[in-house]
Amino acid sequence: MKTSNKFTFCRIIISPVFFVLYFLPIWLKSEPKSILSIISVCVCIPLLAFAEFTDYLDGHYARKNNEVSDFGKMFDPFADVFLHLSTFTAFVFSGYLHPALYALILYREFSQNFLRMVAAKSGTAIAARKGGKLKTVFYVACCFVCLILESLNRTGLTQSWGLNPEIYKYISNGFFIVCVLLSYISFVDYLKHFGKILKDAAK
């Protein structure tokens, strides 16, 4: 496997690991300030940071080692979606992401994936466009906002500082609303440039 694709594959591996680590204190009914709750967020934050950093590394090594390929152009965004949908699912259960917004994100990502599959069958590999990259940046921002808010809960700082955890949901969902808007704007851009492939394939 090429070096760039190895870094991409890291995101696939990290996704379920993050999911389990995030939910472990919840499944075991650990209270805030418990060792397990604190360790969970202390591991999840750098783990997610590393996963997101591999998105830079795979592109860097693909260009450096001349490993840019049609496979990589499809594998990279797939790994991004795999990671982000895993984290978003965790945040839905924690109340940081409203199910309606989550459904809209799912619809967009599956539609985008379908477009990529049809294009690939037609011999066209759809690489990430600027709008898609901006959307991904906000996806990443939402992940860390939610993790920071959850860290405040699990470390007991929410209670110590007298904060209202219900406000956290408004903050996180505000970020996700922006994500949904950007995701659909970028999807329209993809349709504008590659929609003809769908029309031709549907004939």
Side-chain angles (χ1 to χ4, degrees):
M1 184 183 289
K2 297 176 180 177
T3 302
S4 56
N5 290 334
K6 287 180 180 178
F7 282 116
T8 303
F9 188 62
C10 282
R11 296 202 291 286
I12 303 293
I13 298 300
I14 289 173
S15 298
V17 174
F18 174 91
F19 190 86
V20 171
L21 287 175
Y22 183 90
F23 274 107
L24 202 56
I26 298 173
W27 292 335
L28 298 179
K29 302 185 186 304
S30 297
E31 297 294 328
K33 293 185 179 182
S34 69
I35 294 177
L36 183 58
S37 294
I38 294 173
I39 290 178
S40 175
V41 292
C42 287
V43 174
C44 280
I45 291 176
L47 183 65
L48 183 61
F50 174 73
E52 298 295 355
F53 185 53
T54 63
D55 193 18
Y56 161 77
L57 292 176
D58 61 20
H60 171 74
Y61 281 99
R63 292 184 294 271
K64 179 181 178 181
N65 300 338
N66 196 27
E67 297 176 351
V68 177
S69 65
D70 288 344
F71 175 80
K73 290 178 182 178
M74 293 186 290
F75 192 35
D76 178 53
F78 170 77
D80 287 343
V81 171
F82 197 87
L83 173 65
H84 294 142
L85 289 185
S86 296
T87 57
F88 291 175
T89 301
F91 300 144
V92 170
F93 283 98
S94 296
Y96 296 120
L97 172 56
H98 194 280
L101 295 175
Y102 181 62
L104 289 173
I105 291 173
L106 281 179
Y107 296 153
R108 187 275 182 193
E109 296 302 339
F110 279 114
S111 298
Q112 179 70 18
N113 187 51
F114 178 73
L115 176 60
R116 290 186 190 278
M117 288 191 299
V118 173
K121 188 175 181 180
S122 302
T124 301
I126 300 179
R129 294 179 59 78
K130 289 183 179 180
K133 291 180 180 179
L134 178 61
K135 176 267 301 182
T136 300
V137 169
F138 273 82
Y139 275 14
V140 174
C142 283
C143 288
F144 283 104
V145 166
C146 292
L147 269 183
I148 290 171
L149 295 177
E150 183 64 13
S151 297
L152 293 176
N153 280 329
R154 295 191 184 188
T155 57
L157 292 177
T158 296
Q159 297 86 343
S160 300
W161 294 348
L163 302 175
N164 183 0
E166 289 300 314
I167 296 177
Y168 294 172
K169 298 176 182 179
Y170 292 103
I171 295 173
S172 60
N173 278 293
F175 274 86
F176 277 114
I177 287 173
V178 176
C179 280
V180 170
L181 292 174
L182 290 175
S183 69
Y184 277 88
I185 290 172
S186 69
F187 184 58
V188 170
D189 178 59
Y190 280 106
L191 287 177
K192 180 180 177 182
H193 286 83
F194 302 101
K196 188 177 184 300
I197 295 175
L198 280 177
K199 292 180 180 179
D200 293 343
K203 289 181 180 179

